[in-house]
Structure formats: C-alpha cells, structure tokens
C-alpha cells in the first residue's frame, strides 16, 4: 500500500505543486484551518507542514498530531531560517524540485525500520 501523506499549507498553488511532486504517494492537501479535522478523520503516514503555515499554527498542529499518535512523522518545509519545531525540516531548493521527493522517501524509509523515531527527529534533511 502506498503511504498516505497530508500536506498542510495556505497557498493553493504550492499545495498543488507539492502534491504533483509527490504523486507516487496518496496525497491529501488541506489549508491550516482545516488540518486538525483532516488529521482526526484519517491516520497519515506523514504530515508535511508548508512554510506558509505560521509557526504558532504549526506548533498547534504538531501538538494535535502527537495526541493522535505518540510518534508522528512530520516534515516542516522552510524557505529560509530553520524552524525549530522538533521534527525534520526541508529547505526549499528551487533548483532541485526533486529534493522534496527525496526527503519524503527518506522519512518513509526510516519509518519502516525499528529505530525510525530516533533517526527521523533531527535538525534538517538536505539533498
């Protein structure tokens, strides 16, 4: 079965672009206002927080994800400075659009191993 991925963001164009980049997986996109409901309706293998989600909202969504699953897989996208959210971050690289796919594949591959939760939590994923 393909992994289920929830992409949260507040820019419809970015959401659509990222969904297309990750089309090998089962993708659901939602804005940050509706993300809590989406996470409660279905368990996701990975939640991606776009850089368009404000940090306070991102922290709230992470707290909700932790209530639903003690070891959620979350990837926060950043466009500049590092976001200190306690989960891996992905630096947007417009010169390497496949980088996000690689970062997602690594997180999902790590999750398939017994010590995944230890290795997934880190400062950043680079490609």
């Amino acid at each position: 079965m393909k992994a289920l991925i929830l992409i949260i963001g507040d820019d419809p164009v970015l959401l659509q672009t990222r969904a297309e980049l990750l089309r090998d997986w089962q993708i659901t996109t939602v804005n940050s206002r509706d993300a809590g409901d989406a996470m409660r309706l279905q368990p996701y293998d990975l939640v991606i927080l776009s850089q368009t989600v404000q940090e306070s909202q991102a922290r709230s969504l992470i707290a909700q994800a932790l209530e639903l699953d003690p070891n959620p897989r979350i990837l926060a996208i950043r466009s500049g400075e590092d976001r200190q959210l306690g989960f891996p971050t992905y630096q947007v690289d417009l010169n390497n659009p496949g980088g996000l796919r690689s970062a997602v594949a690594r997180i999902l591959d790590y999750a398939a191993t017994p010590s995944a939760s230890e290795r997934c939590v880190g400062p950043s994923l680079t490609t």
Side-chain angles (χ1 to χ4, degrees), residues 2-3 5-9 11-30 48 50 77 97 100-101 104:
K2 289 185 177 186
I5 299 174
L6 177 65
I7 305 174
I8 303 168
D11 180 328
V13 174
L14 281 177
L15 286 175
Q16 181 61 36
T17 301
R18 290 186 175 135
E20 182 60 28
L21 284 171
L22 302 176
R23 68 183 173 272
D24 290 343
W25 294 282
Q26 293 180 17
I27 303 298
T28 300
T29 60
V30 66
I48 299 175
S50 178
I77 297 175
L100 179 60
R101 287 179 49 80
V104 166

Side-chain angles (χ1 to χ4, degrees), residues 6 13 24 26-27 32 34 48 62 67 70 81 87 89 92-93 108:
L6 177 65
V13 174
D24 290 343
Q26 293 180 17
I27 303 298
S32 61
D34 300 327
I48 299 175
I62 288 170
E67 288 176 10
E81 61 195 52
F87 285 88
T89 62
V92 172
D93 180 358
L108 293 173

Side-chain angles (χ1 to χ4, degrees), residues 34 66 102:
D34 300 327
L66 286 165
S102 297

Side-chain angles (χ1 to χ4, degrees), residues 9-126:
D10 293 319
D11 180 328
V13 174
L14 281 177
L15 286 175
Q16 181 61 36
T17 301
R18 290 186 175 135
E20 182 60 28
L21 284 171
L22 302 176
R23 68 183 173 272
D24 290 343
W25 294 282
Q26 293 180 17
I27 303 298
T28 300
T29 60
V30 66
N31 63 44
S32 61
R33 183 181 64 249
D34 300 327
D37 290 338
M39 288 189 293
R40 283 189 292 278
L41 289 174
Q42 177 173 345
Y44 289 91
D45 298 303
L46 176 64
V47 174
I48 299 175
L49 297 166
S50 178
Q51 74 271 24
T52 61
V53 177
Q54 294 181 1
E55 190 161 335
S56 61
Q57 183 71 19
R59 289 185 185 285
S60 175
L61 291 169
I62 288 170
Q64 289 176 32
L66 286 165
E67 288 176 10
L68 296 168
D69 178 354
N71 296 305
R73 289 183 294 264
I74 298 172
L75 176 64
I77 297 175
R78 59 190 169 92
S79 58
E81 61 195 52
D82 199 4
R83 296 173 83 178
Q84 301 298 316
L85 299 173
F87 285 88
T89 62
Y90 171 73
Q91 170 69 45
V92 172
D93 180 358
L94 298 177
N95 295 318
N96 182 14
L100 179 60
R101 287 179 49 80
S102 297
V104 166
R106 275 189 299 224
I107 288 175
L108 293 173
D109 284 345
Y110 287 159
T113 62
S115 60
S117 61
E118 296 169 11
R119 290 188 292 182
C120 281
V121 176
S124 64
L125 293 172
T126 56

